[in-house]
């Protein structure tokens, strides 16, 4: 039998996407020695290096590639994240959370949503966050690891990390090189294509070097050196749905106890993020350049930071959209090379991870298989569109009336798929089948509830319970959560006691190889 296994994989790019790909691929191929993994990056072309708030899936990624979470936290100075707090989105002074957990607990076999909707309709329920432990812990700036022990009350919820993207990439770099990834430093000057098939065959590097490969992973950032530069795959622009096109980012000194949430604060022409790291705070302003100049955005960001700035703000332009195919010929793209969605729900790292799952789950043989590629491309696109819709929902439901940027967002057309989801929820309290993966129903519910949208429908089983009893059940649930929050330690104390940053952050110890 012929051996159709791929023998060489070449990754282009050493940012977050490149080193995540390297770590996942060497985890797959490191021991069997049949397939080599090479990563090429140019020391002259920088990485995005914006700080990264992650989703709980990132912890699954660490487990997948066998990295110890506590070690990574300590060496990269990371902190914990229980939720995103949306401030001002539902009007000045408003705040609601998008937590990484379900809302409330089912009662008498019917999901909490139905009980809450009825109780809210009759004025006997608090905002939905009061029934979510992780939201309330985030509100109080506290953190505890879910124990599963009923006595602790911290039964079950998910959490994520706030990361310094630069340090995490260096951590994954050291780990990958030790595990067997060949690291080449050099600038790709040209991409060679096979005259007959159009496949990429080799990369020409500076210093008259060449790297050949069978499968190429394009992690070269938004320019998409291989997927676009060489293969002209095409890009679908989504700016008409998500109009922000720049981010200003600035690190600052720590001036307050670290919150256990990412703060997303609505601003004149976009929104600002605040997230804590153990060694500094991260601040950003994602904005629409038609509504504010770069200078004004940078000045706004500098004024808003709680601590003294550690560097001048820098502006990162982006173009929201998706590469038409994540997989074209023998090139698979990840990270900014595959598209860009603004960091409103921290999906950048997650989408790299999801892309890697698509790749490894449908890993090619050395002979072409168009049906396999098309299947992956379709699934990936549907996934991105679902996440895009979730992001658009934030803007569509905003309640900042009288502000040009926000008025425009409320009145702007939305994708048909989102219009259908919204209608379905309003009439039935249900979610489209795409919500089975990510973002899940609890995330959509958090948004609708946060913006004060209630469905017409709740399950009729709720009417079997007298209203006074319904109110009492909810009151007890909120009181139980408040008592756990009161007993839980602050996020700052938790970090200090369990995973304080190590003084010398991770260093890239392994040297690049010469080719
Ligand atoms: C403002 C902002 C905030 C963000 N916040 C979050 C967040 O909170 N959470 C989240 O999950 N994601 C976030 N992201 C997204 C996340 O950071 C992405 O993973 C990142 O933007 C893309 O990284 P990348 O590795 O694809 O590309 P890059 O970081 O651009 O790296 C590209 C690499 O390709 C190499 N390269 C390019 N050209 C060549 C060449 N010719 N030869 C050799 N090498 C080359 C470069 O040297 C570099 O190593 C954010 C992004 C931005 C812009």
């Amino acid at each position: 039998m012929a051996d159709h296994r791929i023998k060489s994989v070449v990754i282009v790019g050493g940012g977050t996407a490149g080193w995540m790909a390297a770590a996942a691929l060497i985890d797959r191929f490191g021991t069997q020695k049949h397939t080599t993994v090479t990563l090429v990056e140019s020391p002259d072309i920088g990485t995005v290096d914006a700080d990264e708030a992650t989703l709980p899936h990132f912890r699954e990624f660490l487990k997948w590639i066998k990295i110890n979470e506590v070690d990574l936290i300590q060496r990269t100075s990371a902190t914990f994240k229980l939720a995103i707090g949306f401030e001002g989105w539902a009007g000045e002074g408003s705040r609601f959370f998008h937590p990484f957990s379900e809302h409330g607990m089912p009662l008498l076999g019917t999901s909490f949503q139905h009980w809450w909707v009825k109780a809210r309709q009759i004025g006997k329920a608090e905002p939905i966050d009061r029934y979510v432990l992780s939201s309330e812990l985030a509100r109080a700036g506290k953190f505890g690891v879910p124990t599963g022990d009923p006595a602790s009350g911290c039964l079950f919820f998910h959490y994520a990390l706030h990361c310094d993207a630069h340090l995490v990439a260096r951590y994954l770099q050291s780990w990958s090189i030790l595990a067997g990834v060949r690291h080449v430093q050099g600038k790709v000057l040209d991409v060679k294509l096979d005259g007959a098939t159009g496949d990429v065959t080799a990369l020409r590097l500076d210093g008259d070097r060449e790297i050949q490969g069978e499968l190429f992973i394009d992690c070269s950032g938004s320019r998409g050196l291989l997927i676009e530069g060489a293969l002209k795959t095409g890009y679908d622009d989504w700016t008409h749905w998500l109009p922000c096109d720049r981010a200003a980012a600035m690190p600052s000194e720590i001036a307050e106890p670290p919150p256990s949430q990412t703060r997303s604060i609505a601003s004149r022409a976009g929104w600002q993020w605040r997230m804590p790291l153990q060694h500094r705070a991260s601040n950003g302003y994602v904005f629409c350049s038609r509504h504010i100049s770069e200078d004004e955005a940078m000045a706004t960001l500098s004024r808003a930071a709680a601590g003294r700035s550690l560097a001048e703000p820098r502006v990162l332009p982006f173009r929201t959209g998706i590469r038409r195919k994540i997989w074209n010929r023998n090139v698979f793209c990840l990270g900014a090379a595959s598209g860009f969605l603004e960091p409103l729900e921290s999906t950048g790292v997650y989408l790299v991870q999801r892309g890697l799952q698509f790749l490894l789950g449908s890993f090619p043989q050395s002979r072409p298989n168009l049906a396999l590629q098309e299947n992956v491309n379709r699934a990936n696109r549907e996934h991105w569109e679902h996440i895009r819709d979730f992001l658009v929902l934030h803007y569509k439901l905003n309640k900042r009336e009288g502000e040009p940027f926000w008025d425009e967002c409320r009145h702007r057309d939305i994708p048909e798929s989102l219009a259908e989801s919204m209608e379905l929820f309003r009439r039935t309290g249900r979610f489209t089948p795409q919500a089975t993966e990510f973002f899940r129903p609890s995330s959509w519910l958090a948004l609708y509830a946060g913006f004060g949208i209630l469905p017409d429908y709740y399950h009729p089983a709720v009417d079997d319970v007298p209203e006074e009893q319904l109110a009492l059940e909810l009151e007890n649930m909120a009181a139980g959560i408040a008592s756990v929050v009161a007993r839980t330690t602050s996020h700052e104390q938790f970090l200090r006691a369990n995973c304080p940053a190590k003084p010398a952050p991770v260093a890239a110890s392994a040297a690049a190889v010469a080719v």
Side-chain angles (χ1 to χ4, degrees):
M1 279 278 280
D3 183 352
H4 294 297
R5 287 180 295 171
I6 297 254
K7 295 183 191 62
S8 56
V9 183
V10 178
I11 301 163
V12 180
T16 308
W19 285 111
M20 282 179 74
L25 286 161
I26 202 65
D27 177 68
R28 165 72 181 79
F29 295 114
T31 49
Q32 51 97 328
K33 310 289 178 211
H34 182 277
T35 305
T36 60
V37 180
T38 304
L39 184 143
V40 188
E41 68 170 324
S42 166
D44 304 331
I45 304 175
T47 55
V48 167
D49 274 353
D51 295 322
E52 281 154 350
T54 62
L55 295 173
H57 304 72
F58 184 60
R59 300 181 50 236
E60 294 302 317
F61 178 74
L62 297 179
K63 265 192 221 153
W64 166 16
I65 57 172
K66 302 166 201 75
I67 281 180
N68 179 296
E69 180 180 317
V70 173
D71 188 58
L72 177 116
I73 291 172
Q74 294 197 280
R75 291 182 179 279
T76 65
S77 211
T79 65
F80 293 97
K81 170 181 173 187
L82 287 165
I84 302 177
F86 288 95
E87 300 174 31
W89 286 74
E92 212 51 59
S94 66
R95 177 159 70 151
F96 67 86
F97 289 94
H98 172 194
F100 298 134
S101 58
E102 300 293 317
H103 296 84
M105 277 175 283
L107 294 170
L108 306 174
T110 302
S111 84
F112 175 78
Q113 174 189 331
H114 301 278
W115 301 94
W116 180 77
V117 167
K118 167 149 185 201
R120 196 73 179 157
Q121 282 174 357
I122 59 174
K124 296 203 168 171
E126 304 236 27
I128 204 161
D129 291 329
R130 295 280 186 267
Y131 310 98
V132 187
L133 178 57
S134 44
S135 298
E136 291 303 286
L137 287 172
R139 187 191 305 280
K142 297 192 166 188
F143 185 77
V145 171
T147 61
D149 170 15
S152 79
C154 277
L155 277 174
F156 184 74
F157 53 80
H158 297 288
Y159 65 89
L161 304 176
H162 295 118
C163 293
D164 176 321
H166 177 75
L167 294 182
V168 169
R170 296 293 69 84
Y171 187 100
L172 292 176
Q173 173 181 345
S174 299
W175 191 94
S176 304
I177 293 171
L178 288 174
V181 170
R182 185 167 162 255
H183 180 205
V184 177
Q185 291 200 328
K187 186 171 180 183
V188 177
L189 300 178
D190 193 18
V191 179
K192 288 192 172 173
L193 302 180
D194 183 300
T197 64
D199 280 3
V200 173
T201 54
L203 307 174
R204 194 169 65 77
L205 306 192
D206 51 7
D208 212 13
R209 296 171 292 168
E210 187 172 288
I211 293 190
Q212 295 179 345
E214 276 183 272
L215 175 68
F216 291 83
I217 316 292
D218 187 348
C219 300
S220 63
S222 53
R223 73 203 80 191
L225 203 62
L226 281 65
I227 196 81
E228 195 57 50
L231 298 185
K232 313 279 179 255
T233 302
Y235 192 84
D236 287 333
D237 191 312
W238 286 342
T239 312
H240 49 292
W241 285 318
L242 288 164
C244 289
D245 57 0
R246 306 260 192 290
M250 188 189 79
S252 64
E253 283 178 353
I254 294 172
E256 56 196 8
S260 48
Q261 57 168 300
T262 307
R263 292 176 63 195
S264 167
I265 306 155
S267 197
R268 198 185 99 206
W271 59 277
Q272 296 185 44
W273 81 73
R274 304 263 182 85
M275 68 177 222
L277 296 163
Q278 291 194 50
H279 58 309
R280 61 175 170 80
S282 167
N283 312 274
Y285 187 178
V286 175
F287 61 94
C288 173
S289 60
R290 283 187 294 101
H291 286 268
I292 194 171
S293 69
E294 291 187 1
D295 286 346
E296 275 179 280
M298 288 191 287
T300 306
L301 184 64
S302 300
R303 278 196 305 274
R308 207 169 55 88
S309 74
L310 292 170
E312 288 299 310
R314 63 188 174 118
V315 172
L316 302 152
F318 57 80
R319 186 170 158 229
T320 296
I322 184 173
R323 193 74 58 200
R324 289 208 179 113
K325 295 176 184 173
I326 191 175
W327 187 359
N328 189 6
R329 299 192 180 279
N330 62 337
V331 175
F332 202 96
C333 60
L334 293 168
S338 66
F340 191 85
L341 290 171
E342 62 168 86
L344 180 57
E345 285 284 351
S346 321
T347 43
V349 168
Y350 164 74
L351 284 167
V352 174
Q353 179 178 344
R354 191 68 191 87
L356 281 165
Q357 285 167 334
F358 281 131
L359 172 65
L360 288 163
S362 297
F363 203 75
Q365 296 176 316
S366 53
R367 52 187 175 178
N369 185 333
L370 262 186
L372 188 68
Q373 287 196 5
E374 279 166 14
N375 194 44
V376 166
N377 284 328
R378 190 178 327 111
N380 179 65
R381 190 179 178 92
E382 281 171 8
H383 199 54
W384 275 69
E385 286 176 350
H386 180 71
I387 293 175
R388 173 204 66 196
D389 286 1
F390 187 63
L391 300 189
V392 176
L393 184 73
H394 297 61
Y395 289 100
K396 184 70 183 170
L397 296 182
N398 89 77
K399 290 191 169 168
R400 297 183 70 88
E401 286 179 26
E403 294 178 75
F405 169 77
W406 294 97
D407 288 344
E408 192 183 296
C409 290
R410 247 188 348 275
H411 296 118
R412 181 179 283 277
D413 277 351
I414 55 173
E416 210 174 299
S417 45
L418 175 59
E420 282 167 16
S421 300
M422 291 173 69
E423 182 61 10
L424 183 69
F425 180 77
R426 282 202 169 98
R427 296 171 65 127
T428 69
R430 304 284 156 174
F431 306 91
T432 54
Q434 286 76 12
T436 51
E437 199 184 346
F438 201 73
F439 286 94
R440 291 171 48 74
S442 55
S443 297
W444 289 81
L445 179 61
L447 261 282
Y448 287 125
F451 283 110
I453 307 251
L454 292 185
D456 296 337
Y457 171 88
Y458 59 82
H459 197 284
V462 173
D463 288 330
D464 296 344
V465 173
E467 289 182 1
E468 295 66 37
Q469 191 187 333
L470 169 61
L472 190 64
E473 292 281 2
L474 293 193
E475 227 177 277
N476 287 342
M477 204 182 285
I481 286 172
S483 118
V484 175
V485 172
R487 299 200 305 271
T488 305
T489 183
S490 74
H491 183 207
E492 188 173 28
Q493 284 166 328
F494 186 92
L495 286 165
R496 210 177 292 143
N498 297 287
C499 34
K502 298 233 164 116
V506 66
S509 53
V513 296
V515 283

